[in-house]
Amino acid sequence: MYALLASTSGAAMAQTSSPANPSTSPAASPAANTPAVATTPAQDSTQAAADPTTLDQVQVTGVRASIQSSIDKKRDDTVISDVLSAQDIGDLPAPSLADAIETLTGAASTRDKTGASEISIRGLGAFLSSTNFNGREITNGSGDRSVNFNMFPAELINTVAIYKTQRADLIEGGVAGTIGLETVKPLDYGKRAVQLDAKGTWAEYDNKFRDKDGIGWRGTGSYIDQFEFANGGKLGVSLGIQALDGSDPEESMTSGSTWYACDGTQVNYTGNCSEVDGNQVAAGAPYYLAPSSRIYRLKQERNDRQSEFASVQWRPNDVVELNVDYEHTDRNWHENRSDLSLSNTRRSINDRVVDENGVLQSFSGSTSIDSTSTKYDRNEEYTGGGVNLILRPSAAWEISTDLSYSHTLRQDTQRITRLRANRNGIDGVTPGISSGTTGYVNYDWVNDGDIPGITLDPAFDPNNADAYTGAAQVSSRETDNEHTIRAGRFDVSYMPEDGFLTKIKAGLRAAEADYTYFDNTVTTAISSTTAAGRAQIIAANQACRTAFPQSDFLEDGGSGNTISSWAYFDPSCLYETLTGSSDLNIDTNLVDPSNVDVTEKTKSLYLMGEFRSELFGIPYSGNAGVRWVKTDVRSAGARTDLVITDNGDGTIQLDSTGNYQTSVFKAGNDKLLPSINAAFELHPDLLLRVAAYRAMSRPDIAALGAGRTITVTNGESYANLADALDGITAAGNPAAEPLMSWNGDVSLEWYPNADTILAGALYWKQFNGGTQTALVNEAYNINGQSVIVPVRQEVTTDEKSTLTGFELSASHRFSYLPKPFDGLGFKVSYNYADANYETQDPRLGEQLDTATGLVTPAIVAPAGLSGYSRHVLSGSLYWDIGKFSMQAIGKFRSHYYQDFTGNAAQQNRYYGDNTAVDFRASYRFDKHLSMSLELMNLTNEARVAYQPEYGNFREYVTYGRRAYLGVRYRF
């Protein structure tokens, strides 16, 4: 499948502004569109001398062929870039596009059980990159501007490129870079092709379950053809379809998302710890960091996906070309989740050992214990496409217009049931639980090992299902993320016959992006203090208890874990028994303050010139231009009246009265983005590139929302009103400005032969500020009285910050070794970045009081840029031996901060260093039939997270190894 979709020399994006091929005009010579090094006679003779049998290059297959294609595309580009052909994606372990992209220099991903996901470029987070599909913006279901690459089949993509510098005709949005995805253009492909590709998939951790379900499958088919008509017209069609089904098991220990700076002077206390603020800590007050809860979590998952891609390319004559493309993906995800929760983990924390950063090393505590069962379903559907019309009235003129549509709808439904352990069990007193309405279990904590050790009171058995008779809770939840982009652009190009300028290009673009997030949650509490409530809880408990699905939870790969099982209740049974139905029972008219409704309109104009000349006998080429962008934002948010609810145990929580008012906020900005790129041919095989440009990255579209996150609606209890109000946080800021940067790049690239490249680049970026939390006073009606609440809102400071870095890449085949070792080769890349950008923690970082201008000092250190890793390294060793090819791939990424998508209220989260090792092998029986084997995460690398400060444990997630066995047949 991959080779069938391999890029050809004439391939171009449906959008004529693709940097890889800026003009599709038959009259435009290659020299007008690529650096001089690609076409000079001196180079041709040098290349011929280095590799005299040119037919060998045409017949090259396997990993070597894909690396050669990448080298050629990087050399021919008009910006600093790295490129993957379809063979690159096909010949790397690539269950998603991101797995392949992260092998490129400076690219890194957030890896999870399904492989790579979001991509960071040059130590900058995914939100600082932009991704275009056939030259157009695309939507996703996360509320950010990154792309869920798991939605796109790697087998149906023709070319992937990372453009690390900017041009005026590129859609704005990539401070770090722009990722371009292209589907095949059938006329440019030039031949009929039919291919079937089938893969079996295996997830190691499914073998740990009693009901093993680890075998999945993936099937892909494609058809490409061309037709010529008597009048000279040509028509090309491309069709592709893929379906898959697989499992995604996962085990983890995680923590609640709210962290507290607790008063370190409290000793021998019960109840929730008292908090300290930044002023107290600055004055020397001791503190320690504690989360709202600790959770052991077991996930059993299945997912399925179906994708259809189609394109039509029509050239009725030499003047007109019409391109139409359509993409659709429907992905479903089904999960049974079981949690053992220590749900009050800032309660009674005594006998503490704390380090200098407030990180608890050991302590004893007391907490309530819950068994929570969740039935989680997700459907995410993407639909996109467009119409591109190109007119070439003469060799000098090209006119292009493009209309596009992109839409993603993600719907999540959760059926959540909670049973709480209680002293008054089914058959009498439960050992190890204190008396009282809630009931608490004593425990000890030791931060020693990969996973902190928690030892519950030996008298209490978490596997004793009879103990879970306390307060029950049932939640029905549906969340909808809907993102739509409608866009149109018009471009005109003029190509002079001679002179310094080889092309003059101008254009305009208009787009409207609509994003909505709706959260419908209905929670019902069932009291165990009434006879009817207790009888209902006991009946559900006895009807739905079942054996724990596995016997070795968190015992594979991690050290320190002390809890391997707990009382397990079937999620579907428990929900249906407690509610009397499997229906969600959601009020579709329910309004939630956290809901987001954003419309973002953008307009842009650009003017760019491409040039070619010589300087002191050195040929050079490039482009220079300017882009103007205007953005207007409209954001609507709900505000609610609140009422205090007494929990009956000395704590309170806040609930909505159901009275809502809608507030509308408007904001806007306009920016000017100049850019220049130049490539100097120092020698026929040596290129020097320089670039300078201004770039912008808009905030996540969800972060422009006017919603408010009231964390107490999730059922948390608080000791007093002030404590509860501290949980009201702005989920976004409609007036948030885009992050702007001035950028400079220098790259030196050496191409001694078709199999070798040695390249290095230096880059510099200066940003317009950092990220800080501001306290904005808002009035809330609580129990009928107006109360002023200081609401946390994320803002951009005006303090400048910089990022400097360098990247190195090399690729080489040892063709001079004796057979069969002449098929050995390697590819390696390294990126280093250093930045002083600061992102303050929303709760425990610096707090700016907008009313007084006073700044409360930070308790925890600020994070850097989201997605920023100081070191990113990837390398592969390949061996092509005739029909057999194999490749080992290693990837390393140093620790980094990653924000929570679209929600500025969440506290700073860090991921630790991550190393992944993958392997791929393939064998071609003949020109029709081949087989492949892919092995992922061979070292069983876990994902470890910290919060709100690096080094303070938050989460340990492990998901095992994966294998893919495939067969491909070409007709």
Side-chain angles (χ1 to χ4, degrees):
M1 182 70 218
Y2 305 106
L4 189 155
L5 291 177
S7 174
T8 62
S9 61
M13 295 173 72
Q15 190 83 11
T16 60
S17 63
S18 168
N21 189 6
S23 174
T24 56
S25 170
S29 68
N33 301 310
T34 58
V37 68
T39 57
T40 60
Q43 178 203 330
D44 294 339
S45 62
T46 301
Q47 186 64 45
D51 204 342
T53 308
T54 56
L55 286 178
D56 288 346
Q57 297 183 39
V58 177
Q59 297 171 352
V60 165
T61 60
V63 179
R64 180 190 174 196
S66 65
I67 291 178
Q68 279 190 2
S69 176
S70 293
I71 292 173
D72 289 343
K73 289 178 178 293
K74 179 180 179 68
R75 182 175 192 163
D76 293 344
D77 218 332
T78 59
V79 294
I80 297 175
S81 69
D82 283 284
V83 186
L84 287 169
S85 71
Q87 281 190 333
D88 264 324
I89 297 174
D91 291 333
L92 292 174
S96 76
L97 290 170
D99 283 290
I101 296 172
E102 70 171 341
T103 64
L104 293 175
T105 306
S109 74
T110 300
R111 293 179 66 90
D112 56 26
K113 56 186 176 296
T114 56
S117 54
E118 294 183 350
I119 293 292
S120 297
I121 301 173
R122 284 181 163 178
L124 297 172
F127 84 104
L128 291 176
S129 306
S130 64
T131 301
N132 297 334
F133 196 100
N134 286 338
R136 309 172 183 121
E137 284 185 295
I138 49 180
T139 54
N140 72 21
S142 301
D144 59 8
R145 300 188 191 271
S146 60
V147 170
N148 181 2
F149 291 99
N150 287 316
M151 294 295 290
F152 299 99
E155 295 89 338
L156 299 179
I157 301 297
N158 184 48
T159 302
V160 180
I162 297 179
Y163 307 115
K164 297 178 179 179
T165 61
Q166 297 295 298
R167 297 180 5 163
D169 60 345
L170 280 176
I171 298 174
E172 67 283 347
V175 165
T178 300
I179 300 173
L181 309 178
E182 303 176 28
T183 53
V184 68
K185 297 186 72 175
L187 286 181
D188 295 335
Y189 187 74
K191 60 184 178 180
R192 176 183 296 171
V194 181
Q195 182 167 298
L196 297 177
D197 197 331
K199 286 185 179 180
T201 64
W202 173 75
E204 177 188 20
Y205 272 21
D206 260 324
N207 279 352
K208 301 176 74 172
F209 291 102
R210 291 187 174 88
D211 298 325
K212 297 179 176 58
D213 191 22
I215 302 300
W217 58 271
R218 182 157 101 187
T220 311
S222 68
Y223 166 69
I224 304 175
D225 211 343
Q226 303 82 30
F227 306 92
E228 294 191 23
F229 304 101
N231 63 358
K234 296 181 180 181
L235 178 70
V237 296
S238 173
L239 303 173
I241 185 171
Q242 183 182 83
L244 64 81
D245 182 89
S247 64
D248 293 317
E250 180 181 285
E251 306 168 2
S252 65
M253 179 186 180
T254 188
S255 309
S257 58
T258 303
W259 287 76
Y260 305 87
C262 293
D263 184 353
T265 64
Q266 286 184 289
V267 294
N268 299 323
Y269 74 96
T270 59
N272 290 338
C273 68
S274 299
E275 293 186 76
V276 293
D277 62 24
N279 288 320
Q280 292 171 293
V281 172
Y287 71 96
Y288 57 93
L289 301 170
S292 54
S293 60
R294 297 286 191 184
I295 303 164
Y296 295 87
R297 177 165 291 166
L298 176 67
K299 293 182 181 179
Q300 297 171 277
E301 297 178 6
R302 296 290 298 185
N303 74 84
D304 60 83
R305 183 183 73 193
Q306 180 168 320
S307 301
E308 306 90 31
F309 283 31
S311 65
V312 176
Q313 187 179 13
W314 180 41
R315 291 180 187 150
N317 50 54
D318 292 337
V319 176
V320 178
E321 178 177 327
L322 180 68
N323 295 279
V324 181
D325 64 280
Y326 168 80
E327 301 84 33
H328 175 261
T329 294
D330 194 332
R331 185 174 184 233
N332 296 285
W333 177 14
H334 312 282
E335 175 186 304
N336 280 348
R337 177 187 299 176
S338 178
D339 295 346
L340 178 70
S341 301
L342 285 68
S343 50
N344 299 84
T345 49
R346 64 175 180 130
R347 184 180 189 276
S348 304
I349 300 178
N350 294 299
D351 304 320
R352 300 180 298 268
V353 176
V354 185
D355 72 7
E356 66 277 7
N357 296 314
V359 177
L360 286 163
Q361 302 301 310
S362 65
F363 67 89
S364 60
S366 178
T367 179
S368 54
I369 301 287
D370 300 335
S371 178
T372 303
S373 303
T374 303
K375 175 68 174 174
Y376 193 141
D377 296 283
R378 168 176 290 177
N379 171 254
E380 185 168 354
E381 185 173 11
Y382 172 83
T383 303
V387 178
N388 172 230
L389 177 64
I390 305 171
L391 302 177
R392 304 184 183 98
S394 70
W397 288 92
E398 180 174 288
I399 302 170
S400 173
T401 183
D402 188 275
L403 299 175
S404 63
Y405 173 81
S406 182
H407 175 261
T408 299
L409 176 62
R410 175 188 288 183
Q411 294 180 305
D412 292 345
T413 59
Q414 298 182 62
R415 295 165 173 84
I416 309 167
T417 51
R418 186 201 74 193
L419 298 182
R420 174 160 289 174
N422 190 263
R423 181 174 175 81
N424 187 13
I426 292 178
D427 294 327
V429 174
T430 301
I433 299 183
S434 64
S435 59
T437 304
T438 300
Y440 297 100
V441 175
N442 294 329
Y443 68 97
D444 293 320
W445 159 286
V446 178
N447 190 10
D448 184 18
D450 299 313
I451 307 166
I454 296 179
T455 304
L456 300 175
D457 185 333
F460 173 74
D461 179 8
N463 294 283
N464 178 15
D466 287 347
Y468 296 86
T469 61
Q473 184 172 282
V474 180
S475 295
S476 305
R477 187 182 188 192
E478 178 179 317
T479 58
D480 295 347
N481 283 270
E482 186 167 15
H483 189 193
T484 305
I485 299 176
R486 300 173 181 86
R489 65 179 295 167
F490 180 78
D491 300 89
V492 177
S493 299
Y494 172 68
M495 288 151 281
E497 291 186 8
D498 52 33
F500 174 72
L501 289 175
T502 59
K503 180 186 287 189
I504 301 171
K505 192 173 183 181
L508 58 88
R509 179 177 183 271
E512 179 177 311
D514 297 300
Y515 173 76
T516 57
Y517 169 82
F518 291 107
D519 186 337
N520 292 314
T521 303
V522 175
T523 299
T524 303
I526 304 173
S527 175
S528 62
T529 59
T530 66
R534 178 174 169 80
Q536 184 181 6
I537 293 170
I538 291 175
N541 176 308
Q542 294 177 327
C544 302
R545 62 176 67 177
T546 186
F548 195 72
Q550 67 178 65
S551 58
D552 54 356
F553 174 81
L554 279 185
E555 293 182 2
D556 183 14
S559 62
N561 183 54
T562 52
I563 295 179
S564 58
S565 63
W566 56 89
Y568 183 88
F569 301 92
D570 181 83
S572 297
C573 172
L574 200 57
Y575 181 88
E576 292 177 22
T577 304
L578 289 174
T579 64
S581 170
S582 62
D583 296 338
L584 275 176
N585 300 315
I586 281 180
D587 180 3
T588 56
N589 297 315
L590 184 68
V591 180
D592 192 289
S594 66
N595 288 348
V596 175
D597 185 354
V598 175
T599 297
E600 179 186 71
K601 295 181 179 180
T602 59
K603 299 174 184 176
S604 60
L605 300 170
Y606 77 89
L607 177 65
M608 186 182 76
E610 298 184 7
F611 53 82
R612 176 176 299 280
S613 187
E614 289 190 1
L615 181 66
F616 303 114
I618 298 175
Y620 69 91
S621 62
N623 54 78
V626 64
R627 187 179 188 89
W628 173 79
V629 184
K630 179 174 173 56
T631 306
D632 293 297
V633 175
R634 179 191 182 277
S635 185
R639 299 294 183 268
T640 179
D641 296 341
L642 300 169
V643 63
I644 298 173
T645 300
D646 190 336
N647 293 325
D649 61 355
T651 64
I652 64 170
Q653 69 180 58
L654 291 182
D655 295 297
S656 169
T657 64
N659 297 323
Y660 293 92
Q661 305 83 37
T662 299
S663 300
V664 175
F665 303 86
K666 294 183 179 181
N669 57 79
D670 63 280
K671 306 294 181 182
L672 202 63
L673 308 175
S675 62
I676 183 170
N677 294 270
F680 297 87
E681 184 191 351
L682 304 180
H683 189 269
D685 58 6
L686 188 64
L687 269 182
L688 173 67
R689 299 183 191 267
V690 294
Y693 55 96
R694 192 185 191 208
M696 64 178 287
S697 287
R698 296 184 180 89
D700 290 341
I701 193 165
L704 297 173
R708 294 294 178 263
T709 299
I710 305 177
T711 57
V712 289
T713 58
N714 294 330
E716 287 194 57
S717 299
Y718 294 87
N720 51 60
L721 180 59
D723 201 6
L725 293 178
D726 191 51
I728 299 179
T729 309
N733 180 4
E737 287 280 321
L739 185 67
M740 307 298 301
S741 70
W742 288 100
N743 311 266
D745 290 70
V746 178
S747 173
L748 188 64
E749 302 163 6
W750 181 39
Y751 301 90
N753 58 55
D755 292 300
T756 305
I757 180 177
L758 181 62
L762 299 173
Y763 56 90
W764 169 87
K765 299 178 185 291
Q766 183 179 72
F767 303 101
N768 63 334
T771 303
Q772 188 179 47
T773 301
L775 298 175
V776 181
N777 288 334
E778 293 186 354
Y780 282 81
N781 187 306
I782 301 177
N783 283 9
Q785 296 183 354
S786 180
V787 177
I788 299 299
V789 180
V791 176
R792 294 182 176 88
Q793 188 174 77
E794 186 178 280
V795 297
T796 300
T797 68
D798 57 3
E799 296 180 2
K800 296 187 183 301
S801 56
T802 59
L803 179 142
T804 55
F806 67 87
E807 57 186 17
L808 303 171
S809 61
S811 182
H812 181 64
R813 181 178 70 97
F814 301 100
S815 56
Y816 41 83
L817 294 178
K819 290 183 179 297
F821 302 105
D822 61 339
L824 280 170
F826 71 89
K827 179 180 178 181
V828 64
S829 67
Y830 170 71
N831 184 87
Y832 171 86
D834 182 66
N836 58 2
Y837 188 98
E838 292 189 350
T839 301
Q840 296 288 342
D841 185 84
R843 292 193 80 254
L844 303 179
E846 287 185 355
Q847 310 284 312
L848 170 65
D849 190 326
T850 57
T852 64
L854 297 177
V855 175
T856 301
I859 296 176
V860 299
L865 279 160
S866 178
Y868 159 64
S869 289
R870 187 177 299 272
H871 305 280
V872 175
L873 175 67
S874 67
S876 66
L877 180 66
Y878 68 88
W879 194 4
D880 286 337
I881 316 172
K883 296 181 178 181
F884 181 71
S885 178
M886 60 182 175
Q887 186 178 28
I889 305 101
K891 307 163 191 176
F892 170 79
R893 181 180 188 181
S894 61
H895 70 269
Y896 60 100
Y897 154 66
Q898 186 179 49
D899 59 345
F900 287 84
T901 298
N903 190 347
Q906 297 282 8
Q907 293 184 251
N908 289 354
R909 170 185 59 177
Y910 304 82
Y911 284 128
D913 297 351
N914 187 273
T915 302
V917 178
D918 306 328
F919 175 80
R920 172 179 165 82
S922 63
Y923 184 79
R924 292 179 295 108
F925 294 93
D926 52 39
K927 66 180 181 179
H928 300 293
L929 181 64
S930 63
M931 294 189 68
S932 64
L933 173 66
E934 295 169 330
L935 303 176
M936 303 288 294
N937 193 27
L938 288 175
T939 56
N940 193 18
E941 184 83 356
R943 187 179 74 240
V944 183
Y946 306 92
Q947 195 178 30
E949 187 165 55
Y950 185 69
N952 187 60
F953 177 87
R954 178 185 189 264
E955 184 176 65
Y956 181 95
V957 181
T958 181
Y959 36 82
R961 302 168 182 87
R962 287 181 170 273
Y964 301 82
L965 180 63
V967 60
R968 176 187 303 159
Y969 193 85
R970 299 174 183 168
F971 295 89

